[in-house]
Amino acid sequence: MAQAWKCSGLRWSADGPVLVWDGGRRSALTWGKRVAFEVAEGGVRTCVGARGHACPVSAAVPGRSTGARCEECARLDRAHSVAADTIADDPRPYHVYLAWFGPGMVKVGITAEERGSARLLEQGAVCFSWLGVGPLMAARRTEELLRAALRVPDRIPYAEKRAVRAALPETAADRAREVAELHGRAVALPAWPESLVREPLRVVDHVGVFGLADVPVASGGVSELVAGGAVGGELVAAAGPDLHLATGGGVVVLDTRLMTGWGLVPATGDQLTVPVRQFKEAAGVQDGLF
């Protein structure tokens, strides 16, 4: 039997998306590459642990969970994250950004300046612009200011991000319009924290990076992996954690977060023998990579 590998997630590098495996092995993903694997027969999906530490009880986790963590490990992981507002003394400078995912869908967020645009690629932002840069708490206050004054959310469910990808405006200028309008309103707010330096509008477009131009609309998405199930197809695009795969039954989206916690082995063919959820608006909505 082939050796089973465990995936630790999709990462974005300067050269594009990369699948990372436990132990440090990395698989670069390029358009046209075949992506094919099977879940080991009789396998059970187990918790991936927290903060680089294994789950002490190797708890089983549901196949549809995108976090692949048991309740205790999920709590520990979030307790040490910037997103949970539990780290107030981080000395690093932080960027505040506006990210656009599709018509009517803009969010505000923060990311460590040293990470560059990696956070935006990980979220599947179609385009974005920095708003400002400064200390963590000033960035947090600015994020709250935009939520309260301009009603800009700081979270958008991932299913909603996928649902608008097939209806993206054709030109970069049209895709940038909502970000530009909000950027102008945001930097004009009178309560802007003094320690946060405003940054000029510069919209970065990721349609080319994600390979989303002229990609066939996805007909559905993998809802979960199952023991003995197979996934196979040709990579035609990627955005955030999603791979868009061209299979014998059309383009299907695979959220790579569903791969974590399983033992996976190589496979051949373009078959899909895992549960797939059909998209209600398949004719007008591009849902992601494979």
Side-chain angles (χ1 to χ4, degrees), residues 3-272:
Q3 177 185 354
W5 293 84
K6 286 203 169 184
C7 181
S8 55
L10 185 70
R11 304 287 183 271
W12 283 87
S13 71
D15 299 320
V18 176
L19 278 176
V20 181
W21 305 88
D22 286 6
R25 177 188 174 190
R26 300 166 72 87
S27 301
L29 299 174
T30 55
W31 312 144
K33 182 172 184 175
R34 285 200 40 73
V35 176
F37 62 87
E38 293 181 3
V39 182
E41 284 282 357
V44 175
R45 193 184 191 199
T46 56
C47 174
V48 297
R51 317 303 297 178
H53 300 285
C55 177
V57 296
S58 298
V61 292
R64 292 176 182 250
S65 166
T66 54
R69 289 187 173 91
C70 66
E71 184 175 340
E72 180 62 17
C73 286
R75 184 187 67 78
L76 289 172
D77 189 69
R78 184 162 179 79
H80 293 84
S81 72
V82 171
D85 272 338
T86 57
I87 304 176
D89 57 352
D90 190 334
R92 298 175 298 171
Y94 274 77
H95 263 133
V96 184
Y97 61 80
L98 287 171
W100 185 87
F101 301 92
M105 199 169 290
V106 184
K107 64 156 281 188
V108 60
I110 70 172
T111 184
E113 184 184 32
E114 65 189 31
R115 295 205 67 208
S117 62
R119 180 65 179 146
L120 286 305
L121 292 166
E122 292 166 358
Q123 293 185 59
V126 176
C127 64
F128 79 95
S129 178
W130 303 125
L131 270 174
V133 63
L136 173 59
M137 297 315 293
R140 275 288 182 224
R141 287 196 298 275
T142 305
E143 188 180 40
E144 304 245 351
L145 175 63
L146 266 64
R147 286 205 306 262
L150 303 182
R151 297 185 178 179
V152 182
D154 65 340
R155 287 185 177 85
I156 295 176
Y158 210 85
E160 295 180 17
K161 299 177 187 179
R162 288 193 189 103
V164 297
R165 280 191 202 139
L168 297 176
E170 291 187 4
T171 70
D174 286 337
R175 294 191 291 270
R177 187 166 291 117
E178 288 182 75
V179 170
E181 190 272 335
L182 268 174
H183 185 283
R185 294 171 61 196
V187 297
L189 290 171
W192 191 274
E194 291 184 4
S195 58
L196 197 84
V197 178
R198 291 173 174 82
E199 297 211 6
L201 175 70
R202 187 176 71 86
V203 179
V204 178
D205 193 282
H206 286 154
V207 164
V209 176
F210 291 157
L212 293 174
D214 302 319
V215 172
V217 174
S219 59
V222 173
S223 54
E224 66 177 313
L225 301 185
V226 294
V231 173
E234 177 186 327
L235 184 65
V236 295
D242 290 345
L243 300 179
H244 293 216
L245 295 178
T247 73
V251 175
V252 176
V253 177
L254 171 67
D255 184 337
T256 54
R257 295 174 299 178
L258 298 175
M259 296 169 64
T260 57
W262 288 105
L264 306 175
V265 297
T268 59
D270 292 339
Q271 59 184 338
L272 276 173

